[in-house]
């Protein structure tokens, strides 16, 4: 692997920002306000009169996507200077777990902000796991099988290369090692995209590093390799490689060590609802180091797994059960401006408390000002004033069968009250029966055999007064435990097709099932 000066420079900058988090955050906000002052949004909210965070918080209201949608749509239609003074490079599509697509404006400055998180992370992985960069690399960043390629104003949706997140210099250095097929960018069905990825990965005997969002994505690729090997293997030109793959894929459990003997590291989500499939991935790849990701979204970079000053950066090769295998997931302190809405109101990053639960609000270089992400995070600790955060749920994901309005963050807390790891091995879903009830979906034998668990979770959910009232009055029946052979696959039915290949986190709280309880 060649020397990558951009990685070293980004690592040094991030380490410096960690030492002065308040100054770093105030500098990010100052740059965003100064850059956006000439935009329509900036003029409306008096950016020219804003002298610091306190002025900004008074001048700009907190807003969700719907509050900004009309301005985003004007920018997507080609109108200049609406949210930013920079012209858009492209738009990206995102969406809630069950909601429709949302367009996110990308500027060069927003890409630079992502790089200030991605490059320090990549530099730290390279420092800790040098063997991960000894062979071929596979990255999945953008959604699969896009339904459209341009906005109504002719602006591209997607940049055309996931390497744009790394910057020109780093991308050029990585390109010879990155696995790529032109058809991965072309419009196609999700299944065609999946098979193209499977064929690409099987052709790389020297694969050493994989970065995907959900572990489910890699599990699906391996499943496709087994199911469609008669279609895929003829594309492998080396007869010895083809024979090896045939033997390895013909086993009940594929021999991943034989298929990819040099694979060192897989980066993917390992917490929240991704914990169970991450454990499955570790069993399928016993020779591989599986490292968790931080909080990264299409709209913003939230956190990265990183060893701060004073803590060892070398990690053991075996996998651990903690977040990112022991590395704290630190706020991406010099990427965007972050605020935290908690019990004491809205505070900047430097005023958060260890142990606090907050809803994350971000201001980005892509025209999202005081944007309510709907993501709930827990601040586990402060490292020199830098929050270590963990995603705990979506506030916008809710279920309301008869007025109880449960949201995902509350459900997670209730599950943890019953058992610390219950949220990692089960999902909750309302059933519109007569009377309606909630069911816990799990494939875990211990969960199914614990007959007291349903009653304990029912009691924990009753911390919500409306849930308790509905149970007392008989509007809600008692919670039940249901066996579900594959909760992740069942949950994927509620996603748009292009999101089913694990680009989005699986929600802990699913939309209600039909009357009578749809079979799982």
């Amino acid at each position: 692997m060649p020397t990558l000066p951009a990685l070293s420079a980004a690592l040094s900058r991030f380490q410096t920002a960690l030492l002065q988090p308040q100054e770093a955050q105030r500098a990010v906000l100052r740059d965003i306000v100064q850059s956006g002052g000439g935009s329509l949004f900036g003029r409306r909210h008096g950016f020219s009169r804003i002298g610091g965070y306190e002025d900004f918080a008074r001048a700009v209201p907190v807003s969700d996507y719907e509050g900004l949608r009309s301005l985003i749509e004007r920018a997507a239609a080609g109108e200049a200077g609406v949210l930013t003074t920079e012209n858009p490079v492209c738009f990206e599509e995102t969406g809630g777990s069950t909601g429709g697509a949302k367009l996110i404006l990308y500027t060069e400055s927003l890409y630079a902000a992502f790089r200030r998180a991605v490059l320090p992370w990549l530099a730290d992985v390279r420092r800790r796991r040098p063997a991960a960069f000894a062979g071929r690399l596979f990255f999945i960043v953008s959604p699969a099988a896009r339904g459209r390629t341009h906005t109504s104003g002719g602006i591209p949706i997607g940049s055309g290369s996931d390497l744009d997140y790394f910057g020109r210099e780093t991308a050029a250095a990585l390109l010879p090692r990155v696995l790529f097929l032109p058809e991965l960018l072309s419009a196609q069905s999700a299944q065609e995209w999946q098979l193209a990825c499977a064929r690409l990965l099987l052709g790389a005997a020297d694969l050493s590093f994989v970065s995907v969002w959900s572990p489910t994505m890699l599990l699906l690729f391996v499943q496709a390799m087994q199911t469609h090997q008669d279609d895929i293997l003829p594309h492998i030109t080396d007869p010895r490689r083809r024979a090896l793959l045939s033997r390895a894929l013909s086993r009940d459990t594929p021999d991943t060590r034989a298929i990819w003997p040099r694979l060192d590291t897989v980066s993917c989500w390992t917490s929240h609802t991704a914990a169970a499939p991450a454990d499955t991935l570790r069993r399928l790849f016993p020779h591989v180091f599986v490292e968790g990701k931080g909080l990264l979204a299409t709209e913003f970079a939230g956190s990265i797994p990183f060893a701060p000053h004073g803590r060892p950066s070398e990690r053991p090769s075996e996998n651990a059960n903690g977040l990112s295998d022991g590395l704290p997931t630190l706020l991406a302190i010099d990427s965007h401006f972050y605020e935290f809405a908690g019990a004491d109101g809205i505070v900047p990053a430097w005023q958060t408390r260890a142990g606090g639960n907050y809803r994350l609000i971000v201001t980005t270089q892509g025209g999202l000002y005081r944007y309510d992400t709907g993501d709930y995070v827990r601040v586990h600790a402060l490292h020199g004033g830098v929050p270590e955060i963990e995603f705990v749920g979506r506030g916008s994901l809710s279920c309301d069968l008869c007025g109880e309005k449960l949201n995902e963050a509350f459900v997670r807390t209730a599950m943890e009250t019953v058992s610390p790891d219950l949220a990692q091995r089960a999902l909750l879903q309302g059933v519109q029966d007569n009377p309606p009830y909630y069911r816990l979906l799990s494939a875990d034998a211990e969960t199914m055999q614990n007959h007291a668990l349903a009653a304990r979770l029912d009691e924990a959910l009753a911390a919500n007064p409306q849930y308790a009232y509905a149970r007392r009055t008989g509007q809600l029946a008692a919670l039940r435990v249901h066996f579900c052979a594959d909760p992740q696959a069942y949950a994927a039915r509620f996603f748009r097709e292009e999101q089913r290949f694990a680009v989005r986190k699986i929600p802990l709280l699913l939309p209600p099932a039909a009357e009578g309880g749809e079979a799982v």
Side-chain angles (χ1 to χ4, degrees):
M1 172 68 74
T3 302
L4 299 172
L7 288 191
S8 300
L11 178 62
S12 178
R13 172 175 173 146
F14 187 68
Q15 289 172 326
T16 299
L18 293 179
L19 297 175
Q20 298 178 313
Q22 183 175 166
E23 291 83 350
Q25 276 289 275
R26 288 189 180 275
V28 169
L29 179 61
R30 183 171 58 249
D31 289 346
I32 292 174
V33 169
Q34 289 177 353
S35 175
S39 68
L40 174 62
F41 188 96
R43 295 194 303 273
R44 282 182 179 177
H45 293 87
F47 276 19
S48 62
R49 299 186 297 274
I50 292 176
Y53 168 63
E54 295 73 16
D55 292 339
F56 179 70
R58 284 190 292 267
V60 180
V62 174
S63 178
D64 60 11
Y65 189 87
E66 290 307 313
L68 295 168
R69 182 183 289 275
S70 63
L71 295 177
I72 293 171
E73 289 177 347
R74 287 169 64 175
E79 184 176 344
V82 179
L83 287 163
T84 66
T85 54
E86 284 186 81
N87 291 326
V89 175
C90 64
F91 279 79
E92 282 288 357
E93 279 189 318
T94 185
S97 298
T98 58
K102 300 184 295 188
L103 288 172
I104 304 300
L105 188 157
Y106 267 59
T107 62
E108 288 289 359
S109 294
L110 182 60
Y111 270 119
F114 271 101
R115 286 194 285 274
R116 292 196 292 272
V118 172
L119 295 187
W121 161 72
L122 201 63
D124 198 45
V125 172
R126 188 185 184 204
R127 183 173 59 183
R128 290 181 287 108
R129 309 289 307 176
F133 292 84
R136 304 297 294 275
L137 318 174
F138 182 73
F139 296 95
I140 291 291
V141 178
S142 300
R146 297 180 189 275
R148 51 179 172 164
T149 60
H150 290 80
T151 69
S152 60
I155 302 169
I157 295 178
S159 68
S161 173
D162 285 345
L163 290 180
D164 287 344
Y165 286 93
F166 300 126
R168 184 174 298 126
E169 178 184 317
T170 304
L174 293 177
L175 187 59
R177 292 178 176 268
V178 172
L179 296 176
F180 175 75
L181 278 175
E183 51 261 49
L184 295 181
L185 296 178
S186 60
Q188 56 188 311
S189 72
Q191 184 180 20
E192 289 172 331
W193 177 85
Q194 184 187 21
L195 290 175
C197 288
R199 186 168 74 249
L200 185 64
L201 289 167
L202 284 178
D206 58 346
L207 181 70
S208 61
F209 180 76
V210 171
S211 176
V212 294
W213 290 115
S214 172
T216 308
M217 180 178 286
L218 194 51
L219 293 173
L220 286 171
F221 289 160
V222 174
Q223 183 182 51
M225 293 170 191
Q226 279 196 296
T227 305
H228 299 280
Q229 58 180 291
D230 291 342
D231 299 320
I232 296 174
L233 292 185
H235 293 275
I236 306 300
T237 56
D238 183 345
R240 288 181 298 179
R241 173 73 177 165
R242 190 166 58 247
L244 181 152
L245 293 175
S246 180
R247 291 192 299 272
L249 291 172
S250 295
R251 299 175 52 171
D252 290 341
T253 299
D255 187 350
T256 59
R257 189 191 297 269
I259 297 172
W260 300 291
R262 296 177 60 184
L263 182 56
D264 179 86
T265 300
V266 170
S267 169
C268 63
W269 291 323
T270 58
S271 64
H272 194 53
T273 54
D279 285 342
T280 302
L281 191 71
R282 291 184 177 106
R283 291 192 295 272
L284 184 61
F285 290 84
H287 64 298
V288 174
F289 182 75
V290 178
E291 177 172 284
K293 289 188 181 294
L295 176 56
L296 294 172
T298 305
E299 300 97 320
F300 64 95
S303 65
I304 59 171
F306 192 84
H309 288 287
R311 290 189 55 164
S313 59
E314 291 79 16
R315 308 303 300 174
S317 295
E318 65 273 15
N319 289 302
N321 293 323
L323 286 175
S324 299
D325 297 289
L327 287 180
T329 45
L330 299 183
L331 189 70
I333 199 71
D334 67 338
S335 287
H336 318 293
F337 186 77
Y338 309 91
E339 296 173 87
F340 295 77
D344 299 326
I346 298 174
V347 298
W350 60 87
Q351 292 179 5
T352 56
R353 294 178 295 102
N357 292 318
Y358 300 92
R359 195 176 72 256
L360 188 62
I361 297 167
V362 298
T363 295
T364 77
Q365 297 80 354
L368 298 180
Y369 301 101
R370 303 199 81 194
Y371 174 66
D372 188 340
T373 66
D375 288 341
Y376 279 80
V377 299
R378 183 169 299 151
V379 176
H380 283 288
L382 297 173
H383 299 269
V386 179
E388 174 187 345
I389 65 173
E390 177 196 2
F391 173 81
V392 297
R394 290 280 301 172
S396 58
L397 291 177
S398 62
C399 187
D400 187 7
L401 298 178
C402 51
E404 70 281 3
K405 295 183 176 66
L406 300 185
N407 67 46
E408 188 182 25
F410 169 76
V411 167
R412 177 183 171 116
T413 299
M415 285 187 174
E416 290 176 341
T417 300
V418 174
S419 174
D421 65 344
L422 181 59
Q424 299 176 3
R425 48 191 169 91
L427 304 175
L428 189 71
Q429 182 178 41
V431 178
Q432 294 171 328
D433 209 337
N434 186 25
Y437 63 93
Y438 282 87
R439 62 183 181 183
L440 193 68
L441 305 176
S442 179
D444 179 65
E446 180 182 346
T447 301
M448 299 303 302
Q449 294 167 5
N450 188 341
H451 302 297
L453 188 145
R456 292 170 58 201
L457 181 56
D458 202 30
E459 181 180 353
L461 292 174
N464 175 311
Q466 287 73 32
Y467 184 92
Y469 176 77
R471 287 286 290 114
R472 284 198 309 270
T473 59
Q475 296 177 78
L476 273 178
L479 185 143
R480 309 172 193 176
V481 178
H482 281 232
F483 176 76
C484 179
D486 190 341
Q488 298 278 321
Y490 174 68
R493 302 181 195 177
F494 299 95
F495 285 65
R496 301 196 314 274
E497 182 182 8
E498 69 273 19
Q499 293 185 341
R500 289 179 184 165
F501 289 97
V503 179
R504 304 292 300 182
K505 279 189 173 71
I506 293 292
L508 189 64
L509 179 62
L510 299 181
E515 182 179 353
E518 177 187 348
V520 296

